[in-house]
Amino acid sequence: MAINRREFLQYMSIASASGVLAPASAHAARSSDMYAAPAFGNARILHMTDCHAQLNPVNFREPSINLGIGNAHGKPPHLVGKNLLDAFSLTDPRLQHAFTYLNFSDAAQRYGKMGGFAHLKTLIDQQRAEVGDSRSILLDGGDTWQGSGTSLWTRGRDMLGAANLLGVDAMTGHWEFTYPEEEIRQLVDSFDGEFLAQNVIVSEEALFDDAIAYDEDTGHAFKPYTIKTVGGARIAVIGQAFPYTPIANPQRFIPNWSFGIRDQEMQALVDDIRGKEKPDAVIVLSHNGMDVDLKMASVVTGIDAIFGGHTHDGVPGAIPVSNRSGKTLVSNAGSNGKFLGVMDLDIKNGAVKGFRYRLLPIFSNLLEADKEMQAYIDQARAPYLDTLTEELAVCDDLLYRRGNFNGTFDQIICDAQRAVGDAQIALSPGFRWGTSVLPGQAVTMEAVLDQTAITYPETYVREMAGSEIKLILEDVCDNLFNTDPYYQQGGDMVRLGGMDYTVDPKQTINHRISDMQLDDGTAIEANKRYKVAGWATSGTQSSGPPIWDVVADYLREQSEFSIKKMNTPKIKNMDGNPGLGLG
């Protein structure tokens, strides 16, 4: 079971005193203060995840709503705004901006954009140089080949080249699996590091038909783990891909593969590695989502640290989780290229004796762009600049996506679908990727593609009964708020246009959603049919135009506009929840 609040606060007190949270110091006024820390240990693990193909610096607003239910109440990652700042003693205003939604528009103007692979490259090189040759490794938690127009048009190859320039040693995946298997294998073959996934298995039927597998005896589609020598220590790195890929994304792209959490297989693999390889440390590069990682850490023994992704949680500290044989550290390094996780391990006598963890925000105005990486990015983007830079409209509001229930950019997507499809209701997936646009800035085609660039973008308009709409909402809500993390898939609530509802996250499936009504206040009836627009079907492919064309056409007609209505639900029984912010 995860640590209780008393244990967590005690750990944070120790961490602050020992310098784990050094970047949060009020004295971090200069770039060197922001990124430098006293040397510790003999092995440095650098971790990035969920960049979603953002090669250039971006604005990305962190959530104002990230509710923790049941045992997750009040614990990382379910802390937002001031609650997160207080829990991790973040006093530097720049870090308050990086880790929260507070005063986002003003702070973004003040501190500039974040991330960008040229600035990330500079920081990685700095962090590696601090500890010297052969004393660090760079891990990529996945969702790297998808999320931008250029990644879609180059089929992930722009990101592959950038990752190779960064010097990524190992990665795992999720949205990587939304390309067909043949393309995935071509990209993996061109990757200079190792693609790891202990939980992706080739079906027996496919193996019988001579499907490709890393190991035909075990059925592993990819190498399950690797051994890296870091600072003289042998570290086993196990890959854990997103467990629910064939549910959350179309299985038609990867019909030969099965996924799953597979914690029993993980335990057997850890035991086998420790018995045969005799490593000094075992770590997991995961795309489970942080809540799933926290549970896995409590039931699987022998793992020293889990470097997690998928849920886009920028958590400033590594959380120690107790299990029957000791403790496992769990971290999550945010998204959209905003952060680099740095864990320094002190490894002696075949075991981890201590650690220091920092989640470093990548401020593009504090880190000089690496010239070689910037030249690569400029070259990769050059053929597409005319399309990417088209200015579609200007909005008076801050446009963002991330949050449990709705975002302003999601509202635009829903409004566009309703207008173009002449629909009463619109549905849009609760994707957690997508950059932010500041008030008064032009909404470009690139910004639209940052929200929509997937390999199954087709739209639809069809009739649905009120009961069907409620079933969809209940199903996604259970995925988001199930008290057992193993039944959570990591996305946010489906976004809606044209209707409102009430939600009680503490209820059980089929009892969370109530008071569904259209924008004019008319109650949605179970047996009545409604015209509904949507996109990104994971089952049968739809036949409508791609969503980015629908949104772009809508915005071109707007010129200058503000969002007239946000279809955000009324939330019940969440008063005082530390994951519920004010805006």
Side-chain angles (χ1 to χ4, degrees):
M1 178 177 291
I3 58 174
N4 59 36
R5 184 166 181 80
R6 179 181 178 185
E7 290 175 316
F8 172 68
L9 292 175
Q10 181 183 32
Y11 162 70
M12 294 312 302
S13 175
I14 296 170
S16 181
S18 64
V20 177
L21 302 181
S25 168
H27 302 293
R30 301 185 304 275
S31 174
S32 58
D33 294 327
M34 176 70 71
Y35 299 114
F40 179 84
N42 55 332
R44 173 164 288 182
I45 314 299
L46 304 175
H47 175 226
M48 55 179 280
T49 191
D50 295 277
C51 73
H52 283 284
Q54 296 303 325
L55 287 172
N56 278 333
V58 300
N59 289 310
F60 180 79
R61 176 190 182 272
E62 299 295 330
S64 57
I65 303 178
N66 187 2
L67 298 172
I69 306 299
N71 290 335
H73 176 91
K75 298 176 183 177
H78 302 288
L79 301 168
V80 301
K82 190 174 184 300
N83 294 314
L84 183 143
L85 300 179
D86 291 345
F88 289 93
S89 303
L90 300 182
T91 58
D92 186 322
R94 295 171 301 181
L95 298 178
Q96 294 176 351
H97 168 57
F99 285 100
T100 76
Y101 67 94
L102 299 171
N103 304 313
F104 182 82
S105 296
D106 290 342
Q109 294 280 11
R110 185 177 306 117
Y111 299 119
K113 292 184 176 182
M114 300 188 66
F117 268 52
H119 306 276
L120 174 62
K121 170 68 170 169
T122 296
L123 181 57
I124 288 170
D125 288 351
Q126 286 180 1
Q127 294 297 309
R128 285 186 142 161
E130 281 184 355
V131 296
D133 293 340
S134 303
R135 295 173 69 91
S136 67
I137 55 172
L138 174 60
L139 306 179
D140 178 356
D143 281 4
T144 303
W145 303 344
Q146 176 276 336
S148 69
T150 57
S151 67
L152 179 69
W153 296 326
T154 65
R155 310 299 287 183
R157 290 198 170 273
D158 62 333
M159 299 310 301
L160 177 73
N164 284 341
L165 275 178
L166 281 183
V168 176
D169 293 293
M171 71 175 292
T172 192
H174 169 204
W175 278 89
E176 285 73 14
F177 302 123
T178 59
Y179 297 105
E181 178 180 345
E182 182 179 356
E183 291 186 50
I184 297 168
R185 292 205 175 278
Q186 290 172 354
L187 289 165
V188 169
D189 289 343
S190 300
F191 176 42
D192 290 344
E194 296 178 281
F195 194 98
L196 307 175
Q198 75 89 21
N199 60 327
V200 183
I201 305 298
V202 182
S203 70
E204 291 186 7
E205 181 179 356
L207 287 172
F208 183 78
D209 290 334
D210 296 324
I212 298 173
Y214 170 77
D215 188 327
E216 293 184 1
D217 293 331
T218 64
H220 285 111
F222 303 98
K223 189 175 184 179
Y225 76 94
T226 188
I227 301 290
K228 298 291 186 182
T229 300
V230 188
R234 298 180 70 252
I235 299 176
V237 183
I238 302 172
Q240 175 80 357
F242 179 52
Y244 294 109
T245 296
I247 299 173
N249 310 101
Q251 190 171 13
R252 62 180 179 269
F253 295 127
I254 36 102
N256 293 333
W257 300 342
S258 66
F259 293 71
I261 296 173
R262 304 187 191 276
D263 59 1
Q264 293 182 1
E265 289 89 337
M266 177 67 81
Q267 183 66 75
L269 181 59
V270 171
D271 293 344
D272 189 61
I273 291 170
R274 285 206 174 270
K276 294 179 180 178
E277 301 277 8
K278 306 297 183 185
D280 300 297
V282 175
I283 64 177
V284 172
L285 177 60
S286 167
H287 205 89
N288 278 334
M290 190 161 185
D291 285 327
V292 178
D293 284 335
L294 289 167
K295 180 174 178 178
M296 176 175 278
S298 73
V299 298
V300 177
T301 64
I303 299 171
D304 292 295
I306 298 177
F307 296 85
H310 180 61
T311 39
H312 294 195
D313 300 309
V315 179
I319 311 303
V321 178
S322 298
N323 52 56
R324 66 180 183 273
S325 70
K327 291 183 182 291
T328 297
L329 301 168
V330 176
S331 66
N332 198 291
S335 68
N336 287 270
K338 283 181 63 174
F339 300 102
L340 177 70
V342 182
M343 183 176 288
D344 291 323
L345 298 175
D346 183 22
I347 302 175
K348 297 176 181 176
N349 301 321
V352 175
K353 301 298 184 181
F355 79 100
R356 298 288 184 271
Y357 181 79
R358 297 169 291 151
L359 185 58
L360 301 181
I362 300 165
F363 287 98
S364 60
N365 60 0
L366 292 183
L367 294 161
E368 185 178 352
D370 178 83
K371 292 181 179 179
E372 182 183 14
M373 181 66 80
Q374 191 61 60
Y376 171 82
I377 293 170
D378 293 343
Q379 181 183 29
R381 289 169 53 84
Y384 312 104
L385 280 180
D386 288 346
T387 299
L388 294 172
T389 56
E390 180 190 359
E391 296 185 356
L392 303 171
V394 174
C395 185
D396 294 336
D397 301 295
L398 169 66
L399 300 182
Y400 63 90
R401 166 171 280 172
R402 180 75 174 90
N404 279 166
F405 294 106
N406 206 356
T408 47
F409 217 125
D410 294 297
Q411 190 67 53
I412 288 176
I413 293 171
C414 289
D415 291 347
Q417 289 184 101
R418 290 182 63 212
V420 174
D422 189 27
Q424 296 167 282
I425 297 169
L427 307 177
S428 188
F431 295 144
R432 294 190 171 191
W433 44 273
T435 59
S436 303
V437 180
L438 301 183
Q441 290 186 347
V443 182
T444 62
M445 190 66 192
E446 180 165 27
V448 171
L449 288 161
D450 285 349
Q451 319 295 320
T452 60
I454 64 175
T455 55
Y456 52 108
E458 298 82 11
T459 56
Y460 64 84
V461 178
R462 61 173 178 256
E463 287 193 347
M464 289 186 186
S467 58
E468 292 179 86
I469 298 170
K470 184 176 188 296
L471 185 64
I472 292 171
L473 297 184
E474 289 280 6
D475 183 63
V476 178
C477 201
D478 190 61
N479 157 49
L480 184 59
F481 296 121
N482 197 300
T483 55
D484 185 343
Y486 278 10
Y487 289 93
Q488 298 173 9
Q489 296 171 21
D492 282 318
M493 190 63 183
V494 59
R495 279 50 168 130
L496 297 172
M499 67 167 284
D500 298 304
Y501 64 98
T502 297
V503 60
D504 185 347
K506 288 186 177 180
Q507 288 292 337
T508 56
I509 191 167
N510 297 325
H511 300 286
R512 292 189 178 95
I513 307 298
S514 62
D515 302 326
M516 299 193 311
Q517 55 185 266
L518 297 174
D519 276 355
D520 63 5
T522 303
I524 294 177
E525 302 175 30
N527 296 324
K528 189 172 181 179
R529 301 190 71 79
Y530 301 87
K531 193 175 182 181
V532 178
W535 67 290
T537 54
S538 59
T540 303
Q541 185 174 352
S542 299
S543 57
I547 184 64
W548 51 75
D549 283 347
V550 172
V551 176
D553 288 346
Y554 172 78
L555 288 176
R556 290 186 185 106
E557 295 181 0
Q558 304 300 310
S559 182
E560 297 182 4
F561 71 103
S562 58
I563 296 174
K564 297 179 176 60
K565 175 180 172 58
M566 284 288 291
N567 289 117
T568 301
K570 178 181 177 182
I571 305 171
K572 293 177 62 175
N573 294 324
M574 287 291 110
D575 291 346
N577 190 297
L580 183 61
L582 299 178

